Amino acid sequence: MQLPTRALLAVVLQVALVAAQDSNYTAGLAAALNGAGLTLLAGILGSAPPALISALQQGNHTVFAPSNAALTGINPADPSLNISNILAYHVTGAPIDTGTLNETDSVVRTALTGAPTVLLPGNQTQVLVVNKASNGTVNVKNAGRTIPVSNNATYQNLQVFVIGRVLEIPGNLSSVVGATTDLSALAGAVTAALPNLIPTLEATRGLTLFAPVNSAINAAAGTIGQANETVLTNVLLNHVINGTAVYSPLITNGGNITSAGGQPLTFTTNSTGVFVTSGSSTAKVVQANVLTSNGVVHLIDNVLLNTNNNPDAAASAASSIAASEASNTGTPTGAVTPTSSGNAAIGAFEFANNVKVFSAVIAGVVLGASFL
Ligand SMILES: *[C@@H]1O[C@H](CO)[C@@H](O)[C@H](O)[C@H]1NC(C)=O
Ligand SMILES: *[C@@H]1O[C@H](CO)[C@@H](O)[C@H](O)[C@H]1NC(C)=O
Ligand SMILES: *[C@@H]1O[C@H](CO)[C@@H](O)[C@H](O)[C@H]1NC(C)=O
Ligand SMILES: *[C@@H]1O[C@H](CO)[C@@H](O)[C@H](O)[C@H]1NC(C)=O
Ligand SMILES: *[C@@H]1O[C@H](CO)[C@@H](O)[C@H](O)[C@H]1NC(C)=O
Ligand SMILES: *[C@@H]1O[C@H](CO)[C@@H](O)[C@H](O)[C@H]1NC(C)=O
Ligand SMILES: *[C@@H]1O[C@H](CO)[C@@H](O)[C@H](O)[C@H]1NC(C)=O
Ligand SMILES: *[C@@H]1O[C@H](CO)[C@@H](O)[C@H](O)[C@H]1NC(C)=O
Ligand SMILES: *[C@@H]1O[C@H](CO)[C@@H](O)[C@H](O)[C@H]1NC(C)=O
Ligand SMILES: *[C@@H]1O[C@H](CO)[C@@H](O)[C@H](O)[C@H]1NC(C)=O
Ligand SMILES: *[C@@H]1O[C@H](CO)[C@@H](O)[C@H](O)[C@H]1NC(C)=O
Ligand SMILES: *[C@@H]1O[C@H](CO)[C@@H](O)[C@H](O)[C@H]1NC(C)=O
C-alpha cells in the first residue's frame, strides 16, 4: 500500500514536530534538573520511555526527584530494576496542592500502571501517601519510611519535589506483609492454616486488609487455635474488602462496607483514632496506608472474631464495588458508604490545579522556563 505523497509528508512532519517538541522539553527538563544539582536524575531521564516523557508534558504534575545521594550507586540499566516503572512511580497524575495537606495522610495517584506491578481495579494507577508535618515539611510515606521533601523547584508544568531516597514500588501482599515486622504472627498463621487463600488475595484487583498485629494474634491464639479451616477462612475474610483499596481518607465516621465474608464492616473515627467493627469485635487502626501492588493494608490492634459468612452478600458487594471502581481512575474515591449524603471523603483527595495557591507555595528555586 502507498500513501499519497502529501499525506505521507504531513505524517513525517508531524512525527518530526512531536519528536522535536519532546526532545526540546526533555533537554530543558534535564538542564533544569542539572541546574538544581540533580545531575544523576537528569542523566537517567535518557532512560525514560517516550510514553512517560509524552505524558509528562500533558497536564500538570508533581515529580518526586531523588537527590544525587539517593541515586548514587543506582545503575538505570540494571536488569533487576525496571527504571521505567520507577520513574513513573515518582510522577503524580495531578500536581499536589500542598496548601491542602495536613498531618493526616492524603493519597495521590501516580503515573505507574500495568500488571503485574499494579493490580488495582480498572486502569487505576498506583498511589503515593503524602502528608505535611506541623512545621510545614511535606512528607511522602513509602516502604515504612517518612521521607521529607528537602527542596523544591518548578519546570514548565512540573513541580519538582526533591527527596533523599528513591521511592520503592509497593510489592505484592505476601512480600509487604512479610516485610512488616509486626505482622509476622499473621503471616505465619495464614501460611500455616490457609495457604490456598493467599493466591486469591494476591490476585484480587483492589484489596483492603485490616491486618491484626502480633499482640492481637497472640491474644486471640486460644480461640483461633481451636477453629477449623472454614471458621478461620470466615474470620480472615471479615478482615478483607474485595475489589477496592480503602485508603484512610476514605474511612469516615459511621461509614460502612461489606467484607469479603459478606458481613458489614463499620467505621468509627473520633478523637481517639480510627476504629473498624465486625460483628461484636472492634479494633483500632494502629498504622494506616501500607501499600501493596493490589491495594492497602491497615494494621489493627485486635482480631475481628466474626465467624459468620454470607457468600451471596459477599458476591453482591464484590460485584457492585467492581462496577463502581471500573470507571474510577482519578483521585481515589472508594466505595465506602458515607455517613451523610455526598461523599465527605472525596474532599481530602482533591488537588485543585489552582496556580495561585501553587505558585504561592512553590516560592523556592524556580528552574528554567517559568511555570506561568
Ligand atoms: C526549546 O526550549 C527553550 C527553553 O528551554 C525555548 O526557549 C525554545 O523556544 C524551545 N524551542 C522549541 C522549538 O520549542
Ligand atoms: C496547568 O497549569 C497551568 C498554569 O499553572 C494552567 O493554566 C493549566 O490550565 C493547567 N493545566 C491543566 C491541564 O490543568
Ligand atoms: C517494566 O515493567 C513493565 C510493566 O510493568 C513492562 O511493560 C516493561 O517491559 C518492563 N521493562 C523492563 C525493562 O523490564
Ligand atoms: C484501560 O485503558 C485502556 C486505554 O485507555 C483501554 O483500552 C481499556 O479498556 C481500559 N481498561 C479498563 C479495564 O478500563
Ligand atoms: C520538621 O519536622 C520534622 C519532624 O516532623 C523534622 O525532621 C524536620 O527537621 C523539621 N523541619 C524543619 C525545617 O524544621
Ligand atoms: C511476590 O513478590 C515476591 C518478591 O518480589 C516474589 O518473590 C513473589 O514471587 C511474588 N509472588 C507472586 C505470587 O507473584
Ligand atoms: C467447623 O467448625 C464449626 C464451628 O465449630 C462447625 O460448625 C463446622 O461444622 C466445622 N466444619 C467442619 C468442616 O468441620
Ligand atoms: C450502612 O450505611 C447505609 C447508608 O448510610 C445504611 O443504610 C446501612 O444501614 C448501614 N449498614 C450498617 C450495617 O451500618
Ligand atoms: C472512639 O470510638 C471507639 C470505638 O467505638 C470507642 O471505643 C472510644 O471510646 C471512642 N472514643 C471517644 C473519645 O469517643
Ligand atoms: C472477590 O470477588 C470475586 C467475584 O465474586 C471472587 O472471584 C474473588 O474470589 C473474591 N476475592 C476475595 C479475596 O474474596
Ligand atoms: C486535614 O485535612 C483533611 C482534608 O482536607 C480534613 O478533613 C481534616 O480535618 C484535616 N485535619 C486537621 C487536623 O486539620
Ligand atoms: C518549597 O521551598 C520553599 C522555599 O524553601 C519552602 O518555603 C516551601 O515550603 C517548599 N515547599 C515544599 C512543598 O516543600
Side-chain angles (χ1 to χ4, degrees):
M1 194 192 92
Q2 234 183 345
L3 281 172
T5 315
R6 192 180 299 191
L8 182 62
L9 187 62
V11 167
V12 168
L13 282 177
Q14 195 174 343
V15 167
L17 185 63
V18 168
Q21 281 171 350
D22 274 9
S23 82
N24 198 49
Y25 182 89
T26 316
L29 178 55
L33 293 174
N34 278 322
L38 301 166
T39 55
L40 294 180
L41 181 61
I44 287 175
L45 260 195
S47 311
L52 181 61
I53 294 292
S54 161
L56 259 188
Q57 295 173 68
Q58 287 149 31
N60 301 319
H61 310 275
T62 298
V63 175
F64 285 95
S67 64
N68 278 1
L71 285 167
T72 298
I74 289 185
N75 171 9
D78 182 341
S80 73
L81 297 177
N82 185 321
I83 202 75
S84 307
N85 284 350
I86 293 172
L87 287 172
Y89 194 48
H90 286 71
V91 176
T92 67
I96 295 176
D97 178 358
T98 56
T100 65
L101 295 182
N102 60 30
E103 291 170 74
T104 310
D105 290 349
S106 285
V107 177
V108 292
R109 293 231 181 261
T110 68
L112 179 64
T113 187
T117 310
V118 181
L119 274 180
L120 293 172
N123 277 340
Q124 290 177 9
T125 62
Q126 188 51 277
V127 301
L128 284 171
V129 178
V130 293
N131 63 26
K132 187 166 69 182
S134 54
N135 63 14
T137 300
V138 171
N139 295 308
V140 52
K141 288 170 68 177
N142 177 255
R145 300 184 185 91
T146 297
I147 304 166
V149 172
S150 56
N151 205 345
N152 63 78
T154 66
Y155 171 70
Q156 295 196 12
N157 62 330
L158 307 178
Q159 58 177 356
V160 177
F161 282 1
V162 180
I163 51 175
R165 289 198 77 97
V166 176
L167 299 173
E168 290 178 24
I169 294 172
N172 61 40
L173 186 66
S174 302
S175 65
V176 169
V177 168
T180 307
T181 315
D182 212 4
L183 296 180
S184 58
L186 176 70
V190 174
T191 307
L194 305 171
N196 298 334
L197 203 52
I198 297 172
T200 309
L201 296 174
E202 295 209 315
T204 298
R205 278 184 176 264
L207 186 95
T208 305
L209 171 66
F210 290 93
V213 297
N214 290 346
S215 57
I217 297 284
N218 294 339
T223 318
I224 296 171
Q226 310 290 316
N228 61 32
E229 188 177 340
T230 310
V231 169
L232 287 178
T233 301
N234 294 351
V235 169
L236 183 64
L237 290 180
N238 285 327
H239 291 77
V240 170
I241 299 164
N242 184 352
T244 182
V246 179
Y247 307 106
S248 66
L250 297 168
I251 298 179
T252 54
N253 190 35
N256 71 67
I257 194 165
T258 301
S259 76
Q263 302 295 305
L265 279 171
T266 59
F267 301 111
T268 306
T269 65
N270 60 31
S271 59
T272 322
V274 174
F275 300 83
V276 56
T277 298
S278 177
S280 56
S281 301
T282 293
K284 182 180 180 181
V285 174
V286 291
Q287 188 186 340
N289 302 322
V290 177
L291 302 176
T292 73
S293 54
N294 70 335
V296 66
V297 177
H298 303 297
L299 277 59
I300 55 175
D301 70 350
N302 192 24
V303 176
L304 303 170
L305 279 173
N306 182 351
T307 60
N308 294 323
N309 183 275
N310 181 338
D312 289 345
S316 156
S319 134
S320 66
I321 288 171
S324 80
E325 287 294 272
S327 56
N328 174 11
T329 53
T331 48
T333 51
V336 179
T337 308
T339 20
S340 52
S341 61
N343 192 340
I346 297 175
F349 293 104
E350 279 176 351
F351 292 100
N353 292 342
N354 183 329
V355 73
K356 292 221 172 67
V357 172
F358 175 61
S359 323
V361 169
I362 308 304
V365 197
V366 176
L367 297 174
S370 154
F371 183 80
L372 294 169

